[in-house]
Amino acid sequence: MKRRQAGLTNNGARAAAADDSALRHGRAALDHQHADEAERIARDLLDRSPRHTDALHLLGLALLTQKRAREAVAPLEQAARDSTNPVIETHYALALRDVGRQAEALDWLQRATSREPPFAAAFHELGILLCAMRRYDEAEAVLKRGVEAAPTVAELSVELGGVYICRADPANAKLAFARALALAPGHVRALHGFGTAFLFEGEFERAADRFRQ
Protein backbone atom coordinates (compact mmCIF):
# COMPACT_ATOMS: atom_id res chain seq x y z
CA MET A 1 0.00 0.00 0.00
CA LYS A 2 2.78 2.38 0.94
CA ARG A 3 4.61 1.60 -2.30
CA ARG A 4 1.47 2.30 -4.28
CA GLN A 5 0.97 5.64 -2.50
CA ALA A 6 4.62 6.54 -3.09
CA GLY A 7 4.22 5.69 -6.76
CA LEU A 8 1.13 7.87 -7.06
CA THR A 9 2.96 10.71 -5.30
CA ASN A 10 5.92 10.40 -7.65
CA ASN A 11 3.63 10.33 -10.69
CA GLY A 12 1.87 13.44 -9.46
CA ALA A 13 5.16 15.24 -8.88
CA ARG A 14 6.39 14.31 -12.36
CA ALA A 15 3.13 15.53 -13.92
CA ALA A 16 3.33 18.83 -12.02
CA ALA A 17 6.97 19.29 -13.09
CA ALA A 18 6.03 18.58 -16.71
CA ASP A 19 3.22 21.14 -16.51
CA ASP A 20 5.56 23.76 -15.04
CA SER A 21 8.08 23.10 -17.80
CA ALA A 22 5.36 23.43 -20.46
CA LEU A 23 4.19 26.73 -18.95
CA ARG A 24 7.73 28.09 -19.00
CA HIS A 25 8.02 27.17 -22.67
CA GLY A 26 4.65 28.77 -23.36
CA ARG A 27 5.61 32.03 -21.68
CA ALA A 28 8.93 32.04 -23.51
CA ALA A 29 7.06 31.55 -26.79
CA LEU A 30 4.92 34.60 -25.99
CA ASP A 31 8.02 36.62 -25.09
CA HIS A 32 9.48 35.74 -28.50
CA GLN A 33 6.21 36.66 -30.27
CA HIS A 34 5.25 33.08 -31.07
CA ALA A 35 1.69 33.37 -29.80
CA ASP A 36 0.49 30.43 -31.90
CA GLU A 37 3.01 28.15 -30.19
CA ALA A 38 1.97 29.45 -26.76
CA GLU A 39 -1.66 28.76 -27.68
CA ARG A 40 -0.83 25.18 -28.67
CA ILE A 41 1.03 24.55 -25.40
CA ALA A 42 -1.81 26.00 -23.34
CA ARG A 43 -4.42 23.90 -25.13
CA ASP A 44 -2.34 20.75 -24.61
CA LEU A 45 -2.18 21.49 -20.88
CA LEU A 46 -5.91 22.16 -20.73
CA ASP A 47 -6.68 18.87 -22.46
CA ARG A 48 -5.14 17.18 -19.40
CA SER A 49 -6.39 19.64 -16.78
CA PRO A 50 -9.29 21.83 -17.98
CA ARG A 51 -9.30 24.08 -14.87
CA HIS A 52 -5.53 24.73 -14.78
CA THR A 53 -5.46 28.44 -13.91
CA ASP A 54 -2.03 29.21 -15.33
CA ALA A 55 -2.81 27.36 -18.57
CA LEU A 56 -6.10 29.26 -18.93
CA HIS A 57 -4.19 32.49 -18.39
CA LEU A 58 -1.56 31.53 -20.96
CA LEU A 59 -4.24 30.64 -23.49
CA GLY A 60 -6.06 33.93 -22.93
CA LEU A 61 -2.85 35.92 -23.34
CA ALA A 62 -1.92 34.04 -26.50
CA LEU A 63 -5.35 34.80 -27.97
CA LEU A 64 -5.18 38.46 -26.94
CA THR A 65 -1.77 38.75 -28.58
CA GLN A 66 -3.29 37.39 -31.78
CA LYS A 67 -6.09 40.04 -31.61
CA ARG A 68 -8.66 37.35 -30.81
CA ALA A 69 -10.18 39.07 -27.80
CA ARG A 70 -13.60 37.41 -28.11
CA GLU A 71 -12.00 33.98 -27.82
CA ALA A 72 -9.76 35.19 -24.98
CA VAL A 73 -12.66 36.25 -22.74
CA ALA A 74 -13.78 32.75 -21.67
CA PRO A 75 -10.41 31.31 -20.54
CA LEU A 76 -9.39 34.56 -18.85
CA GLU A 77 -12.73 34.79 -17.06
CA GLN A 78 -12.31 31.28 -15.68
CA ALA A 79 -8.73 31.99 -14.61
CA ALA A 80 -9.72 35.30 -12.98
CA ARG A 81 -12.62 33.75 -11.06
CA ASP A 82 -10.42 30.91 -9.81
CA SER A 83 -7.69 33.21 -8.46
CA THR A 84 -6.98 36.54 -6.78
CA ASN A 85 -4.06 37.34 -9.06
CA PRO A 86 -4.07 41.00 -10.23
CA VAL A 87 -2.08 40.06 -13.34
CA ILE A 88 -4.83 37.68 -14.50
CA GLU A 89 -7.55 40.15 -13.48
CA THR A 90 -5.88 42.88 -15.52
CA HIS A 91 -5.56 40.72 -18.62
CA TYR A 92 -9.20 39.65 -18.28
CA ALA A 93 -10.17 43.31 -18.08
CA LEU A 94 -8.23 44.05 -21.26
CA ALA A 95 -10.14 41.31 -23.08
CA LEU A 96 -13.43 42.75 -21.81
CA ARG A 97 -12.38 46.22 -22.92
CA ASP A 98 -11.44 44.97 -26.38
CA VAL A 99 -14.90 43.45 -26.90
CA GLY A 100 -16.67 46.61 -25.77
CA ARG A 101 -17.60 45.55 -22.23
CA GLN A 102 -16.14 48.67 -20.61
CA ALA A 103 -18.17 48.67 -17.40
CA GLU A 104 -17.07 45.12 -16.57
CA ALA A 105 -13.49 45.97 -17.51
CA LEU A 106 -13.57 48.87 -15.05
CA ASP A 107 -14.85 46.59 -12.28
CA TRP A 108 -12.06 44.06 -12.79
CA LEU A 109 -9.35 46.71 -13.06
CA GLN A 110 -10.57 48.33 -9.85
CA ARG A 111 -10.41 44.91 -8.22
CA ALA A 112 -6.87 44.40 -9.55
CA THR A 113 -5.71 47.77 -8.16
CA SER A 114 -6.90 46.76 -4.70
CA ARG A 115 -4.54 43.77 -4.47
CA GLU A 116 -1.31 43.55 -2.50
CA PRO A 117 1.42 43.71 -3.56
CA PRO A 118 0.36 46.34 -6.11
CA PHE A 119 0.50 45.52 -9.82
CA ALA A 120 1.53 48.68 -11.68
CA ALA A 121 -0.06 47.67 -14.99
CA ALA A 122 -3.49 47.52 -13.35
CA PHE A 123 -3.27 51.19 -12.37
CA HIS A 124 -1.88 52.04 -15.80
CA GLU A 125 -4.68 50.32 -17.72
CA LEU A 126 -7.40 51.65 -15.41
CA GLY A 127 -6.08 55.19 -15.84
CA ILE A 128 -6.02 54.81 -19.64
CA LEU A 129 -9.58 53.46 -19.71
CA LEU A 130 -10.95 56.20 -17.45
CA CYS A 131 -9.18 58.84 -19.52
CA ALA A 132 -10.63 57.39 -22.73
CA MET A 133 -14.05 57.70 -21.10
CA ARG A 134 -13.27 61.37 -20.24
CA ARG A 135 -13.49 60.63 -16.54
CA TYR A 136 -10.39 62.69 -15.94
CA ASP A 137 -10.73 63.25 -12.17
CA GLU A 138 -10.97 59.51 -11.58
CA ALA A 139 -8.11 58.81 -14.00
CA GLU A 140 -5.91 61.33 -12.18
CA ALA A 141 -6.71 59.78 -8.79
CA VAL A 142 -5.99 56.23 -9.99
CA LEU A 143 -2.71 57.16 -11.65
CA LYS A 144 -1.57 59.11 -8.58
CA ARG A 145 -2.24 56.01 -6.50
CA GLY A 146 -0.25 54.03 -9.02
CA VAL A 147 2.71 56.43 -8.87
CA GLU A 148 2.63 56.19 -5.09
CA ALA A 149 2.46 52.39 -5.17
CA ALA A 150 5.06 51.95 -7.95
CA PRO A 151 7.20 55.11 -8.03
CA THR A 152 9.82 53.67 -10.38
CA VAL A 153 7.39 52.89 -13.24
CA ALA A 154 7.75 55.72 -15.78
CA GLU A 155 4.62 54.80 -17.77
CA LEU A 156 2.37 55.77 -14.86
CA SER A 157 3.75 59.31 -14.86
CA VAL A 158 3.48 59.48 -18.66
CA GLU A 159 -0.23 58.61 -18.51
CA LEU A 160 -0.76 61.03 -15.64
CA GLY A 161 0.81 63.76 -17.74
CA GLY A 162 -1.54 62.81 -20.56
CA VAL A 163 -4.52 63.27 -18.25
CA TYR A 164 -3.31 66.77 -17.38
CA ILE A 165 -2.93 67.56 -21.09
CA CYS A 166 -6.52 66.46 -21.64
CA ARG A 167 -7.55 68.80 -18.83
CA ALA A 168 -5.51 71.70 -20.29
CA ASP A 169 -3.26 71.79 -17.20
CA PRO A 170 0.24 72.17 -18.70
CA ALA A 171 1.96 73.01 -15.40
CA ASN A 172 1.07 69.71 -13.75
CA ALA A 173 1.61 67.89 -17.07
CA LYS A 174 5.21 69.10 -17.16
CA LEU A 175 5.79 67.89 -13.61
CA ALA A 176 4.49 64.44 -14.52
CA PHE A 177 6.51 64.23 -17.73
CA ALA A 178 9.64 65.45 -15.93
CA ARG A 179 9.19 62.65 -13.38
CA ALA A 180 8.88 60.13 -16.20
CA LEU A 181 12.00 61.45 -17.93
CA ALA A 182 13.97 61.27 -14.68
CA LEU A 183 13.11 57.57 -14.59
CA ALA A 184 13.48 56.92 -18.33
CA PRO A 185 15.59 59.57 -20.09
CA GLY A 186 14.65 59.91 -23.74
CA HIS A 187 11.17 58.42 -23.27
CA VAL A 188 9.51 59.40 -26.54
CA ARG A 189 5.95 59.87 -25.27
CA ALA A 190 7.16 61.86 -22.26
CA LEU A 191 9.17 64.17 -24.54
CA HIS A 192 6.20 64.55 -26.89
CA GLY A 193 3.91 65.31 -23.95
CA PHE A 194 6.38 67.86 -22.61
CA GLY A 195 6.40 69.56 -26.01
CA THR A 196 2.61 69.60 -26.07
CA ALA A 197 2.55 71.20 -22.61
CA PHE A 198 4.89 73.94 -23.85
CA LEU A 199 2.56 74.51 -26.82
CA PHE A 200 -0.30 75.09 -24.39
CA GLU A 201 1.81 77.81 -22.77
CA GLY A 202 2.84 79.41 -26.06
CA GLU A 203 6.48 78.34 -25.59
CA PHE A 204 6.96 77.35 -29.22
CA GLU A 205 10.76 77.17 -29.31
CA ARG A 206 10.91 75.07 -26.17
CA ALA A 207 8.14 72.85 -27.58
CA ALA A 208 10.08 72.41 -30.83
CA ASP A 209 13.18 71.45 -28.86
CA ARG A 210 11.29 68.69 -27.06
CA PHE A 211 9.78 67.45 -30.33
CA ARG A 212 13.26 67.34 -31.91
CA GLN A 213 14.51 65.28 -28.97
Side-chain angles (χ1 to χ4, degrees):
M1 184 68 177
K2 289 183 179 179
R3 288 181 182 176
R4 183 180 178 187
Q5 288 177 335
L8 290 172
T9 299
N10 289 336
N11 288 340
R14 281 195 292 270
D19 287 353
D20 288 343
S21 177
L23 285 168
R24 284 195 298 273
H25 281 92
R27 292 174 185 135
L30 270 184
D31 290 341
H32 290 89
Q33 300 182 347
H34 299 309
D36 55 342
E37 176 67 7
E39 179 185 352
R40 183 193 64 75
I41 291 170
R43 290 192 187 281
D44 285 347
L45 281 167
L46 290 168
D47 283 343
R48 299 195 296 274
S49 181
R51 294 290 292 269
H52 194 301
T53 300
D54 289 333
L56 287 164
H57 183 211
L58 178 63
L59 176 59
L61 268 185
L63 294 169
L64 272 181
T65 302
Q66 296 175 77
K67 311 297 184 187
R68 294 159 61 189
R70 291 194 182 281
E71 296 172 68
V73 167
L76 288 172
E77 178 180 15
Q78 187 65 64
R81 294 193 185 283
D82 287 348
S83 76
T84 57
N85 186 332
V87 179
I88 297 175
E89 291 170 341
T90 298
H91 291 149
Y92 176 43
L94 295 183
L96 290 170
R97 179 203 64 190
D98 288 352
V99 299
R101 293 162 61 180
Q102 288 189 330
E104 292 171 86
L106 282 176
D107 287 344
W108 280 95
L109 285 170
Q110 286 163 349
R111 187 178 309 194
T113 59
S114 72
R115 304 296 188 192
E116 292 291 342
F119 179 50
F123 294 91
H124 182 252
E125 295 298 343
L126 181 54
I128 289 174
L129 184 53
L130 287 167
C131 190
M133 298 170 74
R134 301 180 182 239
R135 293 164 61 172
Y136 300 127
D137 289 349
E138 293 171 79
E140 178 188 1
V142 164
L143 289 165
K144 280 184 171 179
R145 282 173 50 215
V147 169
E148 187 175 321
T152 62
V153 179
E155 291 299 329
L156 291 166
S157 292
V158 173
E159 296 306 333
L160 181 58
V163 170
Y164 288 129
I165 290 293
C166 290
R167 294 174 61 180
D169 182 355
N172 276 318
K174 287 190 297 183
L175 290 174
F177 292 129
R179 187 185 306 113
L181 288 167
L183 293 167
H187 192 296
V188 173
R189 291 183 59 225
L191 288 167
H192 185 273
F194 223 132
T196 304
F198 279 131
L199 284 179
F200 268 96
E201 297 176 328
E203 297 277 357
F204 301 116
E205 289 189 13
R206 296 178 78 180
D209 181 57
R210 288 292 188 275
F211 291 142
R212 276 194 293 270
Q213 290 178 11

